[in-house]
Amino acid sequence: MPSSTGPSIDTITEGGRVTQVGEGQEAEETSPPVVTFGAPTAGEVLAERYELVEHINNDSAGRLVWRGVDVVLRRPVAVVLRYPGGDSATEMLQAAVAASRVIHPNLVGVYDAIDEADRAYVVREWVDGQSLRELVTADGPLDPARATAIGSAVASALAAVHATGMVHGNVHPGTVMISDDGRVVLADARTDGADSQENDLRAVGGVLYFALTGHWPHGEAPLHGATAGHGRAALPDAVRDAAGAIAAPRQVRAGVPAYLDDLTMDLLDPEIAPPSSDVLSAELNRLDIPADEHFLEQAGPLRFTADTGDEPSPLAAAGGRKVALGIAGLLAVALVGLLIGISALGDDKDPGKEPVGQPSSSAPAGGGTGTPAAPVKRLTIQDVRIIDPDSRDRAEVRDAEKVIDGNPNEGWETQSYRNNGKFGGLKKGMGIWIDLGAPHTVKAIQATLSSTGASAELRAGKAEFPSSSSGDKQLVAAYTEKIGQPFEEHDGTTMTFDGFNPEEKYQYLLFWITELPEKDSGDGWKLGVQELTVQGS
């Protein structure tokens, strides 16, 4: 289903009620469009599904922001609407389609994008909470641990966006949202090609700086073209010296650890190239650990370059605890290698075994002149979607992202079906579509299930994810190549598909469930997929 990252939408609080409005614009600063044809009204149901409840505000591009309800799934939604639609809404809808390819727990979910000619609208997740800008403005700068956790979530979201080749282009304290349950999400990417991934990373430094100090380090020339007097430009400017250089967070307030101060200033320094978003995410995630474990004070910061301009040693740049762990890891690798070598020498004495150093069926002959096989590793799944071609409603296609969140305790699950495990005779099957982001050699695919007794198969194809249930049917029809071994009445909770042709490369895969196991209670048939992992190169 298409999704949107078009207009910039923040949250502000009015009378204790959380609202979601345009970037940096207060309610009294906006006015409705002059054109009234196509204007929405409270109580109206769009696309026979989305009921408009309350007009919240207009965003900075003049689009109307409504609080609504998905009457099918009975959940709150935000509806960003503009009229007329057609050509004037092309950019907004294209941004929605592009953003729909990225699913991540730290990105605001977008559910639909529709053009009705006289008006167009994008339906996205409603977040009950407040923006980082509101939080810091109301309560003051955050403690280092919380600032690190927020920076980690933002970097993780950007890593998912950048992995698709896209740019967010709108990272600032107003688009970093903290829900009432503590979830940190990044909202409203522009994806208009007017920015760069490097600026996204610089903006993470700005978010960290703002969280730690309450000041925005980009002053009257904010990133991404914010209008003076609004949005990011309206935030308090950083403390600066006579030459205009910003003061480090530790100079603004006490208690900021040196590692976090260094990392923030490195991200803001235009003379220092930032790391890739996945490297930054990994570093912040490493630092985002409970403060009572006292690891934060011992961990070294990620430094992108040495002050002398020389290439630093990875261990020397990392600092005390990281150095110790790195040396310990190297010793462990050396010990394992020694044991393998001893074992190989012992095997060489066995005349029934292949001599060490001789070519075998799994290694190229010719004295090492063959191309070495790429190392097998866990591949990053860029996108997952639920395929449900025989369903009349879409209630069963939610939570696909939970199968790749690294948490085996929660996942996606089917509804309960009666009569039999063949989806009660109502469907031929359901599946999970996997996008690896680029073609890869696949070694194995593992599915962790909620219970035993399921049947499934793995299919390959080239079709991208469709935007409707009719598209689901076309996709299933296109994915006819069955790869790996099928599992019929699998008696375990872990399915591992292997035996792939090493000469083939795959980007799109379909984990297709053909039969459900009966629930322990005997009340119907149901299956949950807790995790999907892919090994390859």
Side-chain angles (χ1 to χ4, degrees):
M1 183 176 291
S3 58
S4 169
T5 55
S8 301
I9 306 169
D10 271 352
T11 60
I12 64 169
T13 304
E14 296 180 339
R17 172 176 55 80
V18 173
T19 61
Q20 310 199 11
V21 300
E23 175 192 327
Q25 290 190 279
E26 305 297 335
E28 60 270 18
E29 295 179 332
T30 60
S31 58
V34 175
V35 180
T36 58
F37 180 73
T41 58
E44 184 177 0
V45 179
L46 306 179
E48 300 181 351
R49 177 164 185 173
Y50 307 110
E51 180 181 356
L52 298 178
V53 176
E54 180 183 13
H55 176 215
I56 301 302
N57 212 309
N58 298 346
D59 73 8
S60 56
R63 289 162 281 207
L64 285 68
V65 182
W66 281 73
R67 177 171 62 88
V69 174
D70 183 336
V71 298
V72 174
L73 301 181
R74 305 308 304 171
R75 64 180 174 186
V77 295
V79 181
V80 182
L81 184 147
R82 68 171 301 149
Y83 57 92
D87 293 342
S88 65
T90 298
E91 182 179 341
M92 179 181 78
L93 296 174
Q94 286 178 341
V97 172
S100 70
R101 302 181 186 277
V102 187
I103 298 177
H104 192 275
N106 297 121
L107 288 171
V108 167
V110 188
Y111 306 138
D112 217 338
I114 298 174
D115 186 5
E116 295 180 347
D118 59 330
R119 60 187 174 186
Y121 45 91
V122 172
V123 183
R124 69 164 177 85
E125 177 184 4
W126 177 269
V127 180
D128 282 320
Q130 57 186 333
S131 67
L132 176 63
R133 182 184 65 191
E134 295 172 310
L135 179 65
V136 173
T137 299
D139 301 335
L142 308 181
D143 64 82
R146 193 172 188 191
T148 301
I150 290 173
S152 175
V154 173
S156 181
L158 287 177
V161 172
H162 292 176
T164 68
M166 293 194 301
V167 174
H168 188 280
N170 198 27
V171 180
H172 64 89
T175 56
V176 177
M177 304 173 70
I178 298 93
S179 68
D180 291 340
D181 61 4
R183 175 181 169 222
V184 178
V185 290
L186 182 59
D188 306 313
R190 284 215 239 276
T191 65
D192 57 5
D195 223 302
S196 68
Q197 293 187 0
E198 179 176 332
N199 277 351
D200 278 351
L201 294 162
R202 302 288 186 202
V204 177
V207 167
L208 286 170
Y209 192 95
F210 180 79
L212 292 167
T213 68
H215 295 268
W216 181 245
H218 301 296
E220 293 300 316
L223 292 177
H224 318 309
T227 303
H230 297 288
R232 289 151 286 181
L235 298 173
D237 188 20
V239 178
R240 301 176 183 271
D241 62 18
I246 63 173
R250 299 182 77 186
Q251 296 174 300
V252 178
R253 59 175 291 208
V256 177
Y259 72 85
L260 192 54
D261 188 271
D262 290 339
L263 175 58
T264 301
M265 294 303 289
D266 280 353
L267 286 169
L268 295 174
D269 189 341
E271 300 300 321
I272 299 178
S276 62
S277 52
D278 56 343
V279 170
L280 178 60
S281 174
E283 177 67 9
L284 284 167
N285 186 61
R286 181 180 73 85
L287 300 176
D288 181 18
I289 54 179
D292 57 6
E293 295 183 15
H294 304 295
F295 289 159
L296 290 177
E297 295 181 357
Q298 301 176 42
L302 174 69
R303 299 311 301 265
F304 313 140
T305 185
D307 293 338
T308 62
D310 297 330
E311 184 70 20
S313 162
L315 292 179
R321 173 178 169 79
K322 196 170 182 180
V323 170
L325 291 176
I327 293 175
L330 290 174
L331 290 175
V333 170
L335 179 59
V336 171
L338 178 61
L339 292 175
I340 292 174
I342 293 173
S343 174
L345 289 174
D347 289 344
D348 193 30
K349 297 177 182 179
D350 187 344
K353 294 191 176 181
E354 201 173 51
V356 176
Q358 296 298 316
S360 67
S361 60
S362 59
T369 59
T371 302
V376 176
K377 62 181 180 180
R378 179 169 175 172
L379 301 178
T380 299
I381 298 176
Q382 301 293 349
D383 195 5
V384 288
R385 302 294 181 93
I386 306 303
I387 299 295
D388 189 8
D390 297 315
S391 177
R392 293 188 177 182
D393 64 61
R394 309 300 286 167
E396 219 168 352
V397 302
R398 294 175 294 168
D399 299 328
E401 67 278 2
K402 291 184 178 180
V403 305
I404 57 171
D405 63 1
N407 182 4
N409 296 319
E410 63 176 10
W412 166 79
E413 60 182 11
T414 70
Q415 295 178 349
S416 293
Y417 291 85
R418 298 189 179 277
N419 301 325
N420 58 62
K422 299 285 188 179
F423 294 88
L426 302 175
K427 304 177 182 181
K428 294 181 180 179
M430 289 185 67
I432 301 175
W433 176 82
I434 301 169
D435 179 6
L436 298 177
H440 288 274
T441 299
V442 176
K443 180 69 175 178
I445 297 179
Q446 186 177 88
T448 303
L449 309 177
S450 62
S451 57
T452 62
S455 296
E457 58 194 31
L458 191 68
R459 301 181 182 182
K462 296 182 180 179
E464 296 188 9
F465 184 77
S467 59
S468 66
S469 58
S470 61
D472 285 5
K473 294 180 181 179
Q474 296 169 3
L475 185 143
V476 172
Y479 280 59
T480 57
E481 181 187 359
K482 297 179 182 179
I483 57 177
Q485 75 284 18
F487 284 90
E488 302 297 337
E489 297 182 0
H490 186 55
D491 59 359
T493 57
T494 301
M495 288 184 178
T496 301
F497 297 87
D498 53 20
F500 300 102
N501 182 354
E503 302 301 321
E504 292 287 340
K505 290 192 175 184
Y506 304 97
Q507 176 174 348
Y508 302 116
L509 301 167
L510 178 61
F511 175 72
W512 185 248
I513 303 166
T514 56
E515 188 165 1
L516 306 174
E518 189 171 10
K519 294 196 296 185
D520 293 338
S521 62
D523 184 22
W525 284 259
K526 184 177 186 178
L527 179 66
V529 180
Q530 309 302 107
E531 283 293 313
L532 282 174
T533 59
V534 181
Q535 297 287 332
S537 59

